[in-house]
Amino acid sequence: MPSTYIPQHLIHAHLPPPPSIPNAIPELRIISDEAVPLTDEDYAEPLHPDHAVSAIHDQPTNLLARSIYNGHVLELRSFNAVISKSKPRGLDGTEIIRIFFPEQLRALAQGSIVISKRDKRLFITVVSQANIVYRLDFPLGTFRPNTEDRFVFTTKGNEDWYEEWEVPEDVVVTCSGISPWTALDENTLILGGGDGGIVRVTRSGYWSPDSGQWTATHHRASSRLRLPSLFSRSANTDEQIISFAQHQKTDHIPILYTLSRDRKLRTWNPSNGACLRTIDVRSTSQDLVVRGSQDSSSSTLLEDGSVNMIRVVPHPSSASRYSHLVIAFSSTPYNPISAGTFVIYRAATSSHSVNDLIPAGEKICSAASAGAELRGYEILPTIKSEGIDSGWKLAVTWDKKGSIFGETITVDDIFQFTTYIENNDALLLSEWQQIASSNEIESFDAAYFDNILSSDPPNPADPEDNGDIPAAFIQHLFHPGRFSILTLTTALEDYIHQLSRRNQAQQIATSFASLSKRFGGVIGSQIEMEFSPQTGAPVVEAYRKKLKLDWLGVWANIRDLDKQARWPISTILVDRDLLILTREGISTSLPDEIAGLVDRLGASDIDPNQFLELSEGSLRKLYPAIAAPKARASAIAVSMAGHYISDILKNQDAAENTGTALDDLVNATADRLATITHEPPEVIAGGIWDDHVEELLSENDRAAVRRILSESPSISRALNESLSIIEQVSVPFSTNEVEEQIWSGSGNALLTSAIAQLIETRFNLARSVLLVTFFHLFESRDPSYEDDEGEELIETLAKASVVFHRYKVLKWVSDQTGEEARERSKTGKSNKRKLNGGGGDDLLAEGLGSLRMRESGEEDSGLDSDSFDVGYSLIHSLLSRQLPQSVQTGTINRFSETAITFLSSINPISPDQTDIEAQKFDIQLSYRILVDGHAQLAGAITDMYPLSAGIAYVRGRAYLECRMVEEAVKFLEKAAAGCKDGSLEPILTSTSGPNGLSEYYRHICRVFDDQGADQPVVYFGQLAIQSNKSDVGFIKDLWTKVFLASIALGRYEDAYSTLTSLPFLDLKRDFLGQLISVMCENNEVGRLNSLGFIGFQKDVEEMLRFKARNSDPLRFPNYYKVLYSWHIARGDYRSAGEIMYLQGRRFSEGKSSKIPAFELSAMQARSYLAAINALTLVDKRNAWVSVPGVPSKALRGIKRRKVSRYIPEEEFSKDKKSVDIISLADIEMEYTLVLSQLRLSSHIPDLHEHGITISPQEVVGLFIQRGMFDIAQSSAASLKVDMTDLFQALAARCVELSRLSEHNGDFSAATFLQSSPVTARLKGSPSALSIKYLQSALSRHDSSNTNWKYRQVVADTLFDMNKDKMKKWQMPVWLVQWEMERDPELWIGKALKYGWVEEALGWTLDLVRKATPPELLPPNKSDSANLPYNLIDRVLKASGEGDEKDEKNVQQKSTLLKEEVERRIKGLQKLRN
């Protein structure tokens, strides 16, 4: 019999849900010729499509085959708890695949997945309900069988990946229908017949689908004649075969066992189909019936063949005369005492014969199994290692009222593989032992939720806030591992389906960051708050009742779906581990660790009295702390007393009527321990006891607790021993690490469940110990009494408080989901400035092994291997990314041992720890939660500890991740104290040493910099610089961060101060350029000019000039304007004028810009005007600028170039560029030209469209053409353009206006007179005003400097246009006077030239008369007064020619002229005489 007691419990892990993306899982389809295709209803009824109908696991290939979609789809996926670290290169394909069949499949058979090394193929065989055999094949690729490799499915290059063959109808009829089947190899199947016989189906030929030849042969179990069934293709008779088992030993006859409904156990030779033996399976060993005897009991088995009821166990010793054992189950479904009996036979085979089955014994099922249905059983081999002997065990899985129920029993007394000595073993070693399983879901009923949820809203001031109801249900629904994602999603879809179409569409269209958020947003969304018709106040109670009922309906649906999902299908044995395949997951049994065992004993889950009967040797190896009888009794007493008090509190309502008193006690204790650190532990405990326990314990309860504790020799010692049990976290035997393997997603999921179970049981025990410590302290003695025993008890209380607190924290961690990281990834909550090469946390990597913060920019799939979504559990998320566990060899159970190793790695309690304050491993755990992307959870876990440097650091980082910068700064500043006491060293190794404080501030500065929080960057960066004790070059990057952060904050004065204090000359110029650029880009030019830049002014000017030259002045910022304001602010007007002139030149070159040319010209004009204004303030000698290049094209013909002499030869080298000297007058000319073009653009719309350069002469001419004489004069004067054309046009306009009728004429030609300041205010006819305007223009612009040429051109124009005397044009008097005074001969000559004879006579007559009379001339000086007698002769001559000789007025004036001339001649003659 076994010598080691190993109790067990179940854990469960759900398979990953199917992806929400359609066709994410590759699908293959069997081509069907059926006329009616399958519908969604065929796939969805009666089970959920993704719930398995049957399932098998093949260990050599690590493949899990599941028949889903109600038997129409075969899903194949890799499933193994551990995988190879180095994955071999395989084919392109997938590790999971789904194959759709045209009809339902029969239950999958073990052995149907076979690898052919010869063909290098994987063959999978299935049989449908229509008796069609399907043979699938896939290439092996690089897959290595019997390793931890993952199989990759691919059909690439293999179009014919399946073949099908229908079992002949005559064979089916002959055997009375087909029942369950089994596969012997890839070419041989055995189909069970309804007549108790078998159908041997074989395939021959090459492996390819088109090369196979199939045959089916029926082999009868007896020679009795049976009438075939003509109405059923499936067997349903008493003789129907329901189970198969095989045994094959080298050089022995292969054996096939079959069990039929009539309890016939037959032995077959599968090679030829011969039935070798037949026996009735009975509950006694004497009823052996050989082949050919009469039928035995008429009772039939009710099994349908979905569960294999035969097992074959090879004999471990080759020297035994028996080769194997056969175990068969005989059920008694209606027996109220037992569900059935396991009958065991011994069998012997040889190379030529098979002996009869010899009854070895039987195991009657336990009373607890009555009414249950068998779902599978396995024979667990014995474990013999390091003094452990578990014995051979029969592990049975039942379906009891829809839930898994497991139990084990040792069978060494029947197997007798070794010498067996019968002794009086304890019942716990010899009788059925139940495998513990959690049933907490059953306790979460409507009454439970009514207890934890009040009818009043949490905030009476806000009746609309009823979020406590969704929060409570979501917390229970999304408890890690409680319900699968598929179950939750299905229930939510069912709920949405029941909504109205309007609400359906709204909920489907709404996007949520996570499934839990979707639950909160959808459920109850259609419920509206009602308002009282009398008061108008919201009826909150009715609303909350409806909302709660809505959630309770969803909860009930999820519970029902979960029962279906957890329903056991079959059992398998993988590497000595019992796995229970459920419809949607995997369950496995683990041995209890010592704290869990003690907790189960306290809850009476295991009979304490039977446990006390165990020998010390049966516990010494696995449970050494409780091996001794006294230690065992003490541990049981403490655990039972604690459970007794817990049960009393659990049945009492909390003080606030929400939850139980036990919950209230636990939460209050955790809160007080986390916040109150200055009070003694006995004071804290006294307050908790008085507030939450004292009044709830009756005297009878106290007496019962005392009675329980009296079983312990010493309560104080019992408490210390119990605390030692909890504090000790280690495997009690040596284990080895398998370096080449790692845990897969499936393994991590099961490991997560194991860790959660481990933490929960240890927390329960810690709670019990704390309660008993409270009770013993306050019920047994006065805690204020000081003696050795009192001091010891106070120390025990402190330890119990620490143990409870630490496991309360771990329990909280195990209860959290990992959705936060996924939500942050989806919603982009993390607002990082940039991603540093190491993720922005290089210092952290030093302390925690390359651990770093996962950035939001990084892709976060949230998936472990096997496509396991880690969002359901925080622990799984940590296992997959931050705390991966090494694979152990597993002396007893690798899941249990790895779970203990995990708990040991985070070391929740230090030896003899009595201080609640966070220790090294507490800080590391909280920080790992943070860096895994769960900032809110990291902040919450720090709230459970008293504030310390390490806790402050993690809390500050958590606040920072949540964008609560002010709080982050506060706590991270407090955390700096950890550099002195070394509390930060576990996560920031660089904070140790003499420069640790500076390193810490530097690290914090970098963290804030990554988050884009600039103000803390400046603050902590300056602290790091100030506290630095190492080489100044080591903090070079800090200066950069502080400077850039100051700029980002707009604190340019601080940035300038940093610049001036910078000890690195090479950075100063870079910082200077950055400061200038940012200030200009933020339009802070005024602040830029106000900065002194002492010692940097030349650099500033050079940088601004460089930016101006190499930037577009049309874009912001305009560095020309910046430089202009810089020079103006410093009184350098000449440089200011220069930069504005250069800007104008740049605008003139920007004709290809998208900005309209008109706007560019306007900008150019403003630039020139600014330059003019600036240069006007400079002394005239210095009012010039030098610019590179050549002068403006438009002014080339006007500008006079000064020629230099004695120019050095080096100035003509290739690298020298020509320089143009621009004076103020030149700029004014260019300004006038541009401004004139702008004025013309309103009259000539396309003037700027084609980039044509217009000369000044052309500009003036365009003004003249449009009658803009004022502008034309000013432009011509500024541009130094000759005005001849202008005055010619103006004279012509005067003549034109004089010829217009005052009443009927068109005076549009006179509009310039109205706008001109010369004539605008004068009254008169247009002709008179125009003459006045002409007079004024000549007065301003015609002088001796112009050699009076404008008057001449005006005279020529007037003379030429008025040759016709009939038009009666009168030459302007002022013009006549000007000309007669200046040059009368020229004037009279022009009159004669243009035919103005009469006027010439008059002007000549005036000339003669104005001459000095002869009598006034001095004697003998007759030639002192000169008259143009030749001109006079010409005038007189002209008067006698042509039409003038006939004009009376002409002749009169001619006569007068002659008389005057004669008179003057006579007078002159007298003077000579």
Side-chain angles (χ1 to χ4, degrees):
M1 290 296 288
S3 62
T4 306
Y5 175 63
I6 308 177
Q8 294 183 326
H9 64 275
L10 277 180
I11 61 171
H12 182 79
H14 302 285
L15 291 176
S20 58
I21 303 174
N23 302 323
I25 298 178
E27 297 177 353
L28 298 176
R29 295 184 181 271
I30 302 295
I31 301 175
S32 173
D33 297 331
E34 292 187 8
V36 180
L38 296 174
T39 63
D40 293 340
E41 287 74 13
D42 297 323
Y43 292 142
E45 296 294 339
L47 298 178
H48 189 282
D50 287 292
H51 284 180
V53 178
S54 64
I56 61 171
H57 181 268
D58 183 65
Q59 189 167 353
T61 60
N62 300 317
L63 287 178
L64 175 64
R66 302 170 68 236
S67 177
I68 59 176
Y69 281 66
N70 288 282
H72 290 91
V73 176
L74 176 66
E75 180 187 80
L76 301 170
R77 67 166 71 219
S78 295
F79 180 88
N80 47 331
V82 295
I83 56 178
S84 300
K85 285 184 179 179
S86 57
K87 182 179 179 181
R89 179 179 297 178
L91 300 174
D92 294 334
T94 176
E95 294 182 1
I96 179 173
I97 195 170
R98 287 181 173 180
I99 304 168
F100 286 73
F101 291 86
E103 62 272 342
Q104 284 184 316
L105 301 178
R106 295 185 182 274
L108 302 177
Q110 201 70 34
S112 58
I113 302 177
V114 182
I115 284 182
S116 174
K117 294 183 178 179
R118 180 191 63 184
D119 300 327
K120 296 182 179 180
R121 313 291 292 182
L122 170 70
F123 296 102
I124 303 170
T125 307
V126 294
V127 181
S128 71
Q129 295 287 356
N131 299 323
I132 299 177
V133 179
Y134 292 97
R135 187 172 185 260
L136 319 176
D137 71 86
F138 300 94
L140 281 183
T142 57
F143 177 77
R144 299 170 297 176
N146 297 304
T147 65
E148 302 303 333
D149 285 358
R150 293 300 183 93
F151 190 86
V152 177
F153 295 95
T154 180
T155 58
K156 187 176 182 180
N158 182 25
E159 301 297 334
D160 298 330
W161 53 272
Y162 74 93
E163 63 178 308
E164 57 182 305
W165 181 76
E166 184 176 3
V167 179
E169 185 68 22
D170 58 335
V171 175
V172 175
V173 172
T174 302
C175 68
S176 300
I178 301 298
S179 60
W181 62 282
T182 188
L184 301 182
D185 53 46
E186 69 271 23
N187 294 318
T188 306
L189 304 181
I190 302 296
L191 309 180
D195 60 350
I198 61 173
V199 177
R200 187 168 178 270
V201 178
T202 59
R203 180 189 184 278
S204 59
Y206 190 57
W207 64 265
S208 60
D210 56 351
S211 302
Q213 297 178 358
W214 295 82
T215 60
T217 307
H218 175 229
H219 301 275
R220 297 182 184 275
S222 65
S223 58
R224 289 187 305 164
L225 178 63
R226 288 182 55 92
L227 293 177
S229 173
L230 302 177
F231 304 100
S232 176
R233 294 170 57 87
S234 296
N236 191 20
T237 64
D238 290 345
E239 298 179 344
Q240 172 190 338
I241 291 178
I242 58 173
S243 293
F244 294 92
Q246 303 177 48
H247 174 71
Q248 188 167 0
K249 187 176 181 181
T250 305
D251 299 331
H252 282 224
I253 296 177
I255 298 298
L256 175 68
Y257 293 101
T258 64
L259 179 66
S260 56
R261 279 186 174 178
D262 57 1
R263 290 196 176 98
K264 299 292 185 182
L265 178 61
R266 294 183 174 90
T267 305
W268 303 81
N269 185 342
S271 301
N272 54 24
C275 181
L276 306 178
R277 298 287 188 272
T278 301
I279 190 174
D280 283 338
V281 177
R282 296 184 180 274
S283 60
T284 59
S285 59
Q286 288 80 15
D287 294 333
L288 180 63
V289 180
V290 297
R291 181 166 59 103
S293 67
Q294 62 180 6
D295 293 342
S296 61
S297 174
S298 61
S299 63
T300 61
L301 295 175
L302 301 179
E303 292 80 2
D304 58 0
S306 60
V307 177
N308 196 0
M309 299 188 179
I310 314 176
R311 288 288 186 269
V312 172
V313 180
H315 201 290
S317 174
S318 59
S320 174
R321 61 192 180 104
Y322 297 105
S323 60
H324 60 281
L325 298 178
V326 180
I327 301 96
F329 175 70
S330 176
S331 67
T332 55
Y334 303 110
N335 190 336
I337 299 177
S338 173
T341 303
F342 291 91
V343 183
I344 304 171
Y345 301 92
R346 294 188 178 94
T349 62
S350 64
S351 60
H352 58 278
S353 65
V354 177
N355 296 336
D356 293 336
L357 295 176
I358 306 300
E362 61 185 32
K363 289 291 184 180
I364 300 175
C365 299
S366 67
S369 67
E373 178 186 352
L374 180 70
R375 297 310 307 162
Y377 69 93
E378 299 294 335
I379 306 299
L380 305 181
T382 184
I383 299 174
K384 290 187 177 182
S385 176
E386 300 187 18
I388 299 173
D389 183 5
S390 65
W392 288 81
K393 289 187 178 181
L394 172 63
V396 186
T397 302
W398 306 94
D399 168 30
K400 191 171 185 180
K401 298 181 180 179
S403 300
I404 296 179
F405 172 70
E407 54 185 358
T408 63
I409 191 171
T410 57
V411 290
D412 291 71
D413 55 333
I414 299 177
F415 284 7
Q416 297 188 14
F417 288 146
T418 59
T419 303
Y420 173 73
I421 302 176
E422 186 174 356
N423 52 26
N424 296 322
D425 287 312
L427 294 178
L428 292 180
L429 292 175
S430 59
E431 298 296 327
W432 287 98
Q433 298 300 316
Q434 181 179 347
I435 302 175
S437 60
S438 175
N439 58 353
E440 62 174 356
I441 298 178
E442 300 298 329
S443 63
F444 299 146
D445 53 9
Y448 168 82
F449 286 106
D450 287 339
N451 187 30
I452 66 173
L453 293 172
S454 172
S455 59
D456 298 324
N459 183 10
D462 186 8
E464 299 288 337
D465 181 15
N466 296 280
D468 59 320
I469 295 178
F473 279 96
I474 289 175
Q475 180 182 2
H476 286 74
L477 288 172
F478 287 86
H479 185 279
R482 180 170 292 164
F483 301 115
S484 69
I485 300 298
L486 177 63
T487 296
L488 295 170
T489 305
T490 302
L492 185 60
E493 291 175 351
D494 292 343
Y495 179 85
I496 295 176
H497 184 70
Q498 296 173 3
L499 299 177
S500 63
R501 291 187 177 180
R502 176 182 177 183
N503 286 329
Q504 280 186 25
Q506 179 180 357
Q507 299 303 335
I508 293 174
T510 305
S511 176
F512 297 93
S514 63
L515 183 59
S516 62
K517 293 292 190 296
R518 191 181 181 203
F519 263 82
V522 172
I523 298 176
S525 60
Q526 81 285 358
I527 302 176
E528 297 181 356
M529 181 76 75
E530 297 180 359
F531 295 88
S532 173
Q534 289 80 18
T535 63
V539 186
V540 180
E541 185 175 353
Y543 174 81
R544 290 178 64 84
K545 183 177 181 181
K546 291 180 181 180
L547 183 61
K548 192 186 301 182
L549 288 175
D550 234 25
W551 278 98
L552 284 172
V554 174
W555 174 264
N557 186 25
I558 289 176
R559 285 180 55 182
D560 293 341
L561 288 171
D562 182 65
K563 276 192 174 183
Q564 297 180 24
R566 290 176 182 260
W567 193 77
I569 298 175
S570 61
T571 59
I572 57 173
L573 197 62
V574 179
D575 295 332
R576 298 185 306 176
D577 295 330
L578 172 66
L579 296 185
I580 303 172
L581 304 181
T582 66
R583 284 177 176 164
E584 198 205 330
I586 306 291
S587 294
T588 186
S589 62
L590 305 182
D592 291 338
E593 58 93 30
I594 184 169
L597 173 59
V598 174
D599 183 63
R600 287 183 64 184
L601 289 167
S604 299
D605 192 28
I606 298 175
D607 191 335
N609 295 322
Q610 295 182 10
F611 184 75
L612 290 172
E613 294 175 359
L614 290 171
S615 64
E616 186 174 346
S618 63
L619 299 173
R620 184 180 297 111
K621 189 57 183 177
L622 286 183
Y623 310 111
I626 56 175
K630 291 184 178 180
R632 206 181 311 172
S634 297
I636 293 176
V638 172
S639 181
M640 290 186 68
H643 272 278
Y644 187 88
I645 300 174
S646 297
D647 291 340
I648 294 174
L649 299 179
K650 191 182 298 183
N651 294 325
Q652 299 287 334
D653 292 337
E656 298 181 359
N657 198 28
T658 55
T660 65
L662 181 61
D663 297 333
D664 201 7
L665 168 69
V666 169
N667 295 331
T669 304
D671 291 342
R672 293 195 184 186
L673 291 177
T675 56
I676 303 176
T677 58
H678 59 279
E679 295 184 359
E682 64 272 19
V683 176
I684 299 175
I688 296 172
W689 181 265
D690 294 338
D691 295 341
H692 300 281
V693 183
E694 177 70 27
E695 297 180 355
L696 300 179
L697 288 181
S698 65
E699 188 58 37
N700 292 334
D701 295 331
R702 300 173 197 270
V705 175
R706 293 190 191 99
R707 186 172 58 254
I708 295 172
L709 293 176
S710 65
E711 300 293 330
S712 173
S714 171
I715 299 178
S716 297
R717 180 179 297 177
L719 290 173
N720 286 324
E721 289 175 352
S722 298
L723 289 173
S724 298
I725 290 174
I726 306 174
E727 290 175 353
Q728 184 66 28
V729 185
S730 62
V731 180
F733 43 81
S734 61
T735 60
N736 296 320
E737 179 180 344
V738 184
E739 296 182 356
E740 66 273 9
Q741 295 177 358
I742 59 174
W743 289 97
S744 67
S746 309
N748 277 333
L750 288 169
L751 192 56
T752 298
S753 182
I755 293 171
Q757 183 70 22
L758 175 63
I759 292 174
E760 182 177 4
T761 56
R762 283 179 164 260
F763 167 72
N764 291 338
L765 183 58
R767 183 182 60 195
S768 297
V769 173
L770 183 66
L771 288 173
V772 175
T773 305
F774 284 176
F775 180 86
H776 181 56
L777 179 65
F778 299 108
E779 292 292 324
S780 302
R781 59 181 286 111
D782 184 0
S784 63
Y785 184 75
E786 297 182 0
D787 57 3
D788 293 340
E789 184 180 354
E791 292 294 332
E792 182 182 354
L793 188 56
I794 297 301
E795 183 179 357
T796 302
L797 174 63
K799 288 183 179 180
S801 300
V802 172
V803 169
F804 169 80
H805 176 265
R806 291 303 191 263
Y807 278 100
K808 176 64 174 68
V809 172
L810 291 180
K811 179 66 167 60
W812 179 88
V813 170
S814 67
D815 290 343
Q816 303 308 308
T817 68
E819 284 189 331
E820 183 184 354
R822 177 73 61 82
E823 292 177 16
R824 288 182 175 273
S825 177
K826 287 185 177 180
T827 59
K829 289 182 180 178
S830 185
N831 184 26
K832 302 297 175 73
R833 187 203 307 272
K834 57 184 176 290
L835 291 175
N836 292 338
D841 234 333
D842 298 336
L843 294 180
L844 177 62
E846 300 174 9
L848 292 180
S850 299
L851 184 65
R852 68 181 184 88
M853 183 73 71
R854 185 173 65 250
E855 307 289 356
S856 65
E858 300 179 38
E859 183 179 355
D860 176 23
S861 63
L863 299 178
D864 200 350
S865 61
D866 301 334
S867 299
F868 264 91
D869 188 344
V870 301
Y872 78 95
S873 170
L874 174 59
I875 290 184
H876 194 156
S877 181
L878 293 174
L879 286 174
S880 66
R881 293 186 285 225
Q882 305 298 337
L883 290 169
Q885 297 299 299
S886 58
V887 178
Q888 308 294 330
T889 54
T891 302
I892 296 180
N893 185 281
R894 54 185 175 180
F895 290 106
S896 178
E897 294 164 16
T898 305
I900 296 174
T901 304
F902 169 83
L903 197 59
S904 176
S905 67
I906 61 176
N907 195 15
I909 305 169
S910 301
D912 298 325
Q913 180 181 348
T914 59
D915 189 3
I916 295 293
E917 186 174 348
Q919 303 299 312
K920 169 185 176 180
F921 292 97
D922 301 310
I923 298 172
Q924 286 181 340
L925 175 61
S926 60
Y927 198 58
R928 282 188 169 99
I929 295 174
L930 174 68
V931 298
D932 198 45
H934 315 280
Q936 294 181 4
L937 297 182
I941 195 175
T942 59
D943 292 336
M944 300 180 183
Y945 291 91
L947 188 62
S948 63
I951 290 299
Y953 173 79
V954 177
R955 189 178 300 176
R957 289 294 304 270
Y959 275 128
L960 181 58
E961 289 296 315
C962 296
R963 307 305 300 162
M964 302 172 68
V965 178
E966 293 182 3
E967 290 80 0
V969 171
K970 180 176 68 174
F971 285 104
L972 290 175
E973 188 174 10
K974 292 180 178 179
C979 299
K980 298 180 180 180
D981 57 22
S983 58
L984 288 179
E985 187 176 355
I987 54 177
L988 296 174
T989 56
S990 58
T991 57
S992 61
N995 202 36
L997 183 61
S998 178
E999 286 294 338
Y1000 171 75
Y1001 286 134
R1002 176 178 182 164
H1003 165 73
I1004 298 303
C1005 177
R1006 185 190 311 172
V1007 169
F1008 278 106
D1009 187 44
D1010 290 341
Q1011 290 283 354
D1014 297 304
Q1015 188 168 352
V1017 170
V1018 175
Y1019 177 68
F1020 286 104
Q1022 291 174 342
L1023 289 177
I1025 294 172
Q1026 295 169 5
S1027 59
N1028 179 52
K1029 297 180 181 179
S1030 62
D1031 183 18
V1032 70
F1034 187 67
I1035 59 172
K1036 193 173 185 179
D1037 62 320
L1038 287 175
W1039 286 95
T1040 303
K1041 286 182 172 61
V1042 171
F1043 177 79
L1044 295 178
S1046 299
I1047 288 180
L1049 290 170
R1051 293 157 54 172
Y1052 304 117
E1053 291 78 9
D1054 293 344
Y1056 174 71
S1057 177
T1058 303
L1059 170 65
T1060 56
S1061 305
L1062 189 67
F1064 307 102
L1065 296 177
D1066 56 333
L1067 288 181
K1068 283 190 175 183
R1069 183 170 179 83
D1070 296 336
F1071 284 7
L1072 180 63
Q1074 182 75 6
L1075 179 61
I1076 293 173
S1077 298
V1078 174
M1079 293 187 73
C1080 294
E1081 290 169 0
N1082 293 327
N1083 200 22
E1084 295 288 353
V1085 180
R1087 294 174 66 182
L1088 175 68
N1089 294 332
S1090 66
L1091 298 178
F1093 290 104
I1094 299 174
F1096 300 102
Q1097 292 189 3
K1098 185 177 180 181
D1099 295 328
V1100 173
E1101 292 182 12
E1102 289 180 357
M1103 290 180 181
L1104 289 176
R1105 282 186 176 275
F1106 176 80
K1107 290 179 179 292
R1109 289 194 304 269
N1110 296 279
S1111 64
D1112 188 353
L1114 299 175
R1115 295 182 179 275
F1116 184 84
N1118 185 343
Y1119 285 100
Y1120 286 99
K1121 291 184 178 180
V1122 175
L1123 190 55
Y1124 172 76
S1125 65
W1126 168 270
H1127 289 309
I1128 291 295
R1130 280 155 180 75
D1132 188 358
Y1133 303 115
R1134 184 167 172 271
S1135 298
E1138 177 186 356
I1139 199 65
M1140 280 292 100
Y1141 177 75
L1142 290 174
Q1143 177 180 247
R1145 293 279 292 269
R1146 285 288 299 275
F1147 285 138
S1148 67
E1149 299 169 359
K1151 301 301 182 182
S1152 59
S1153 172
K1154 295 181 180 179
I1155 297 179
F1158 175 82
E1159 295 185 16
L1160 284 177
S1161 296
M1163 296 177 187
Q1164 184 182 3
R1166 286 193 289 268
S1167 300
Y1168 288 155
L1169 181 59
I1172 292 170
N1173 293 335
L1175 291 175
T1176 303
L1177 301 175
V1178 182
D1179 186 85
K1180 290 185 178 180
R1181 294 176 301 173
N1182 300 321
W1184 58 270
V1185 297
S1186 60
V1187 296
V1190 295
S1192 174
K1193 294 180 180 179
L1195 300 178
R1196 286 182 184 177
I1198 297 175
K1199 181 173 173 60
R1200 295 184 61 190
R1201 303 290 293 173
K1202 295 182 179 180
V1203 180
S1204 300
R1205 296 180 182 179
Y1206 309 112
I1207 301 175
E1209 289 295 332
E1210 57 268 17
E1211 294 297 326
F1212 296 98
S1213 61
K1214 293 182 179 180
D1215 57 341
K1216 296 292 183 178
K1217 297 182 179 180
S1218 58
V1219 177
D1220 189 26
I1221 304 300
I1222 306 296
S1223 64
L1224 175 59
D1226 297 331
I1227 300 175
E1228 289 174 343
M1229 291 175 60
E1230 291 194 45
Y1231 170 71
T1232 302
L1233 178 61
V1234 176
L1235 191 62
S1236 300
Q1237 293 177 354
L1238 290 173
R1239 288 171 174 171
L1240 285 172
S1241 62
S1242 60
H1243 301 274
I1244 308 174
D1246 59 346
L1247 181 63
H1248 295 89
E1249 295 300 326
H1250 306 292
I1252 300 174
T1253 301
I1254 304 177
S1255 65
Q1257 293 83 355
E1258 293 171 335
V1259 169
V1260 175
L1262 291 173
F1263 281 131
I1264 295 172
Q1265 290 178 8
R1266 282 150 184 79
M1268 303 167 66
F1269 295 104
D1270 276 343
I1271 300 176
Q1273 291 176 63
S1274 62
S1275 299
S1278 299
L1279 298 174
K1280 298 181 181 180
V1281 174
D1282 185 81
M1283 300 185 190
T1284 300
D1285 294 338
L1286 186 151
F1287 282 102
Q1288 184 178 5
L1290 184 56
R1293 183 63 60 87
C1294 292
V1295 175
E1296 178 184 353
L1297 291 175
S1298 68
R1299 295 173 181 173
L1300 296 177
S1301 171
E1302 292 187 7
H1303 301 288
N1304 299 324
D1306 181 10
F1307 292 96
S1308 60
T1311 53
F1312 73 96
L1313 299 174
Q1314 300 174 1
S1315 60
S1316 174
V1318 177
T1319 57
R1321 296 184 179 184
L1322 299 179
K1323 295 182 179 180
S1325 63
S1327 60
L1329 293 177
S1330 64
I1331 295 299
K1332 178 63 179 176
Y1333 183 87
L1334 178 60
Q1335 179 186 4
S1336 175
L1338 288 172
S1339 300
R1340 285 177 299 171
H1341 300 293
D1342 196 24
S1343 64
S1344 59
N1345 293 332
T1346 60
N1347 202 22
W1348 310 106
K1349 62 179 179 180
Y1350 301 140
R1351 296 185 183 186
Q1352 296 178 23
V1353 72
V1354 168
D1356 290 341
T1357 303
L1358 294 179
F1359 281 129
D1360 183 58
M1361 294 183 66
N1362 294 283
K1363 294 178 180 179
D1364 187 1
K1365 296 180 62 176
M1366 300 300 295
K1367 295 181 179 180
K1368 300 180 179 181
W1369 167 262
Q1370 297 292 327
M1371 190 66 67
V1373 176
W1374 48 267
L1375 181 58
V1376 175
Q1377 292 176 351
W1378 284 353
E1379 292 299 314
M1380 291 298 293
E1381 292 174 358
R1382 185 181 66 85
D1383 191 354
E1385 295 182 22
L1386 179 62
W1387 174 254
I1388 296 172
K1390 286 185 178 181
L1392 291 177
K1393 177 181 176 181
Y1394 291 101
W1396 286 54
V1397 178
E1398 182 177 357
E1399 289 79 359
L1401 288 171
W1403 294 330
T1404 304
L1405 184 61
D1406 292 339
L1407 178 63
V1408 174
R1409 290 175 178 174
K1410 290 180 180 181
T1412 304
E1415 55 270 18
L1416 297 179
L1417 294 173
N1420 300 320
K1421 296 292 185 179
S1422 59
D1423 56 351
S1424 61
N1426 182 29
L1427 284 177
Y1429 292 105
N1430 291 333
L1431 177 63
I1432 295 173
D1433 292 339
R1434 289 172 52 201
V1435 171
L1436 292 174
K1437 182 180 178 181
S1439 63
E1441 297 176 353
D1443 296 336
E1444 281 74 8
K1445 63 182 180 179
D1446 299 329
E1447 293 183 9
K1448 182 177 179 181
N1449 292 337
V1450 173
Q1451 296 303 319
Q1452 290 178 353
K1453 290 182 179 181
S1454 176
T1455 304
L1456 290 174
L1457 177 59
K1458 292 177 180 179
E1459 291 175 354
E1460 288 293 332
V1461 171
E1462 290 177 359
R1463 186 182 303 112
R1464 183 170 183 79
I1465 293 174
K1466 290 179 180 181
L1468 291 174
Q1469 290 176 353
K1470 291 179 180 181
L1471 183 62
R1472 293 190 186 99
N1473 295 331

